[in-house]
Amino acid sequence: MEGLFQTQQGAGIVIIGQPDPAQGTLDNAIIVPNVLSFLTYRRWSAEVKGLDAFPPNQRPDSIALLYYSYHIMVGLGTFFIAIMGLAALLLWRRWLFQLRWMLWILLLALPFPFIANTAGWFTAELGRQPWIVYGLLPTVQGSTTTLSDGNVIFTLIGFAGMYLLLGLLYVVLIVHEALRGPISEEKAPLEEAIPQQAQGFTG
Amino acid sequence: MQTLWFILVAFMLTMYVVLDGFDLGAGAMHLFAARNDLERRTIVRAIGPVWDGNEVWLIAAGGTLFFTFPVLYASSFSGFYLPLIMVLWFLMLRGVAIELRSHLQNPVWISFWDGLFFLGSALLAFFYGAALGNVIRGVPLNSTGTFFMPLWTDFNPYSANPGILDWYTILIGLLALAALTAHGANYIAVKTEGTLNARARRIARLAWLITIVLTVLATMLTFSVQPAIRASFSIRPWEVIFPLIALVGLIGMGYFNFRQRDLAAFFASCAYLVGLLASAAITLYPMVLPAVNPANSLTIYNASASPYAQAVGLVWWSIGMVLAVLYFVLTYRLFWGKVRLTETTGY
C-alpha cells in the first residue's frame, strides 16, 4: 500500500511518488519520515516490514494499482476532513453562504466520495491478494469450479448496465432537485435561511 | 445440532416467503387493483414501511447457510448462479421502483416505475416458486457435490440433465405466483378500504381459485417427481400434519374471503404458505439438496459445518433473532391499521 519495498526502521509515509515494482523503487517520492512507523506501531523508530520480507508468490499482484488506490482513498479522505472542518467553521461564523468560492469547492467535491469509496474497495481487495482468507485459503483455491467464463461475463455486463442506469437516474434526480433551488432564498433573509439549510445536511 | 439448524434455516426461509410474499404479491396485483395514482400510492404506502425489512430474512437465511451448511452454500450458490443473479437484479429494480416512483411528477416516469414494480414482483414470485421446484426435484450434483445448471435444457423434470426451468418447476413457479398474489391481495385488503379494498378482495378470490387448481396439480406431480417424499411419509406418518395445515389455510382463504374478514383471510394465506413450505422441508429431511442421482445428494450430515462452528453460530443467531423480532413487532405495531391517503399527501 505504501510502496515500501525494503524493510526499515523509522519508515516514512509517502505523500506522492510512483512505485516501480520491477526495480523495487519509488520514483519522485515526497516522504514524511518516521510517520508510517508511528501509525503502525505507535513508535517513531519501529521497524516496518517491507515487501522484501515476503516471498514473491505471497505479494499482491498489482502493487502499482494497490498503491494508487490506497493513496487516492487517503488523499481524498484528508481533503474531506479539511473542507468539512473549514465549512463547519464558516457555517458557525455564518460566512458559508456569502463565500461563493467555498460553495464552489463543496459543489465540485460531489464526485469525490464515490471515487474514494471505490478506491477503498480496490485497496481492500487488491491488498489481501493472493489470499481470500488470510493465511488459510488462497484465492485460486476459493473460486468456484463449475462456473464458466461466459456466464460470469454475462452477469458482469448485466451489473455494469444496471449501475450505469442507476448512476444516470441518480444524476437526473440530483440535477432535478438542484434546479428547483433552495426553497427560502427569495422569501427569507439569508440569516433565517441558515437553520433550514443546516437541517438539510442531516436529513 | 444439524437437525436444529435445518429447522432454523427452514424457519427463516418460511418467514421470508410469508413476509416478503405479501409485498411481492401486492406488487404483482397493484396494476389491476389500483386504477389511479392515489390508489397506487396507497398500495406502495401499505408495504412501504415493511418491504425492505421483510427482505432481510432472505439475506439472513443466506448468511445462516454460509456458516451452518457451508458445503450447501458453496454448491448451490455456484450451481444456481444465473437465476440467483437474476433474482438480485429483479430485487434491485423493484426496490428502486418503489423508492423512485414518486420523485418526479411526470406520468411517463411514474408509469415506467409502476410497470417495473409489477414486473419485478411477479417475476420474483415466479422465480422463488421455480427455485422451490428445483430443490424438490433435485439437481445434477456430481460426486464432488457441485453442479451448474443452465436456465433450461429440455424442460423435462425426469431428465438426467435438467435445467432451472422445466414443466414441473414452471408449474411450481405459477403456483407461487398465484398463491403470493392471493396472499398480497389479502394484505392489501386488510390495509385499505372502499373500492380498493373491494378490488383487492376480488383479486384475492380469483387468485385463490387458481391456487386451488395448481395446488392439486402440483401435489400429484410432486410425488412422482421426487419419490423420496412418499418414502418420508411412510417413515414419519405424523408429517401429514403439515399438508393439513396448508389445506386448512387454503380453505380458510376462501371462507374468510366470502365472509369479508380480511385479516383472518390474510392469516389463512400465511398458514397455507407455512404448511406448504414446512411440508416440502420436512419430507426432504435429512436432504438439503437432493441430487438427480440420489447417492450424490447433499444432506444435513455431509454439508454441515463443524459442531463447534454450529454451536458458536447458535449463540449469535439467538442474539440477532431477538433483535429482529423486536424490530418486527415495533414496525408492525407502528404501522398497524388502514392506510388513508389524500391527494396532497406526499409519498
Side-chain angles (χ1 to χ4, degrees):
Chain A
M1 278 175 1
E2 274 294 326
L4 186 70
F5 291 97
Q6 280 85 34
T7 300
Q8 51 184 276
Q9 293 186 335
I13 198 160
V14 179
I15 303 298
I16 203 163
Q18 298 82 40
D20 182 346
Q23 304 286 329
T25 56
L26 193 66
D27 302 333
N28 312 318
I30 300 173
I31 296 175
V32 185
N34 295 341
V35 173
L36 184 59
S37 288
F38 180 75
L39 286 176
T40 318
Y41 297 106
R42 300 288 172 277
R43 278 188 298 115
W44 294 104
S45 60
E47 182 183 277
V48 179
K49 277 186 187 169
L51 281 167
D52 59 353
F54 301 91
N57 68 354
Q58 287 188 23
R59 296 177 195 168
D61 306 315
S62 348
I63 287 170
L65 189 57
L66 172 59
Y67 167 88
Y68 286 123
S69 54
Y70 174 70
H71 276 80
I72 289 170
M73 174 186 80
V74 172
L76 285 175
T78 315
F79 174 68
F80 295 150
I81 295 171
I83 59 170
M84 263 164 53
L86 187 58
L89 187 73
L90 291 171
L91 186 67
W92 177 50
R93 300 304 305 166
R94 300 197 165 185
W95 286 345
L96 184 59
F97 299 106
Q98 272 102 329
L99 295 175
R100 293 184 71 89
W101 57 269
M102 189 60 202
L103 294 177
W104 268 109
I105 292 178
L106 290 175
L107 175 67
L108 294 178
L110 195 69
F112 290 156
F114 296 95
I115 298 172
N117 203 331
T118 310
W121 273 107
F122 268 75
T123 309
E125 299 302 322
L126 289 168
R128 68 177 180 167
Q129 300 304 327
W131 300 104
I132 196 164
V133 181
Y134 187 73
L136 287 175
L137 183 66
T139 306
V140 187
Q141 289 178 19
S143 65
T144 177
T145 48
T146 48
L147 197 56
S148 71
D149 296 354
N151 283 308
V152 177
I153 291 171
F154 172 74
T155 52
L156 193 61
I157 293 172
F159 273 113
M162 180 78 82
Y163 278 101
L164 189 68
L165 175 75
L166 294 181
L168 285 174
L169 287 172
Y170 173 79
V171 172
V172 166
L173 285 176
I174 289 287
V175 169
H176 176 77
E177 282 300 315
L179 286 180
R180 289 210 307 209
I183 301 153
S184 53
E185 198 174 38
E186 286 125 45
K187 292 172 200 156
L190 205 53
E191 283 76 14
E192 287 171 34
I194 289 168
Q196 279 191 336
Q197 294 287 337
Q199 278 176 358
F201 287 119
T202 57
Chain B
M1 187 60 99
Q2 286 108 334
T3 304
L4 177 63
W5 275 115
F6 179 85
I7 295 168
L8 291 180
V9 171
F11 162 73
M12 292 173 88
L13 285 173
T14 307
M15 280 299 280
Y16 173 69
V17 173
V18 169
L19 290 175
D20 205 35
F22 73 70
D23 62 64
L24 288 174
M29 56 76 89
H30 90 292
L31 281 187
F32 310 104
R35 302 275 161 83
N36 58 41
D37 187 54
L38 185 66
E39 293 177 349
R40 297 255 160 89
R41 274 194 290 146
T42 307
I43 289 185
V44 172
R45 185 59 87 78
I47 65 166
V50 293
W51 69 270
D52 41 3
N54 295 344
E55 286 178 359
V56 169
W57 285 92
L58 181 66
I59 301 167
T64 309
L65 275 187
F66 178 66
F67 71 79
T68 54
F69 299 112
V71 178
L72 170 66
Y73 179 87
S75 169
S76 57
F77 276 54
S78 305
F80 291 128
Y81 179 79
L82 282 179
L84 272 177
I85 298 283
M86 286 178 174
V87 161
L88 200 56
W89 289 343
F90 291 133
L91 281 173
M92 285 167 76
L93 286 176
R94 180 174 170 275
V96 169
I98 296 174
E99 293 299 329
L100 292 190
R101 79 175 288 281
S102 298
H103 271 284
L104 286 185
Q105 290 306 317
N106 176 318
V108 177
W109 172 273
I110 292 178
S111 308
F112 174 74
W113 292 116
D114 281 343
L116 209 56
F117 178 42
F118 161 74
L119 202 67
S121 303
L123 283 174
L124 278 169
F126 174 78
F127 259 75
Y128 289 147
L132 179 66
N134 273 279
V135 172
I136 291 173
R137 179 205 59 203
V139 296
L141 285 161
N142 62 24
S143 54
T144 60
T146 55
F147 70 102
F148 181 81
M149 272 204 311
L151 287 180
W152 59 78
T153 52
D154 50 7
F155 292 102
N156 178 7
Y158 302 103
S159 147
N161 183 28
I164 303 288
L165 296 177
D166 58 38
W167 54 257
Y168 174 71
T169 59
I170 289 176
L171 176 74
I172 304 290
L174 292 175
L175 170 61
L177 179 58
L180 292 185
T181 303
H183 189 45
N186 280 336
Y187 178 77
I188 293 300
V190 172
K191 296 294 279 185
T192 57
E193 44 201 2
T195 50
L196 197 52
N197 172 288
R199 280 194 218 119
R201 279 183 191 153
R202 217 162 35 237
I203 292 173
R205 199 173 317 149
L206 186 67
W208 173 68
L209 289 172
I210 300 173
T211 306
I212 293 176
V213 175
L214 291 177
T215 306
V216 172
L217 252 172
T219 308
M220 292 188 309
L221 286 168
T222 299
F223 281 103
S224 133
V225 166
Q226 183 50 268
I229 289 181
R230 193 192 307 254
S232 173
F233 276 120
S234 55
I235 300 169
R236 296 181 290 267
W238 53 267
E239 285 171 2
V240 166
I241 186 135
F242 294 105
L244 282 179
I245 291 174
L247 187 64
V248 170
L250 190 59
I251 295 167
M253 279 161 76
Y255 175 75
F256 291 119
N257 185 287
F258 283 112
R259 298 290 299 271
Q260 310 207 332
R261 291 177 53 193
D262 298 325
L263 193 62
F266 176 67
F267 284 123
S269 53
C270 288
Y272 168 72
L273 292 171
V274 169
L276 211 59
L277 289 167
S279 312
I282 198 82
T283 51
L284 290 177
Y285 175 87
M287 289 188 287
V288 283
L289 191 62
V292 174
N293 172 3
N296 293 336
S297 292
L298 290 179
T299 67
I300 58 166
Y301 306 110
N302 66 15
S304 81
S306 67
Y308 173 74
Q310 293 198 330
V312 172
L314 194 58
V315 175
W316 289 105
W317 188 88
S318 311
I319 296 171
M321 198 44 59
V322 170
L323 289 174
V325 168
L326 277 179
Y327 178 78
F328 173 86
V329 172
L330 190 73
T331 318
Y332 282 82
R333 273 182 62 114
L334 202 58
F335 294 100
W336 191 257
K338 305 264 185 194
V339 177
R340 289 186 186 87
L341 286 189
T342 58
E343 287 293 344
T344 49
T345 324
Y347 171 72

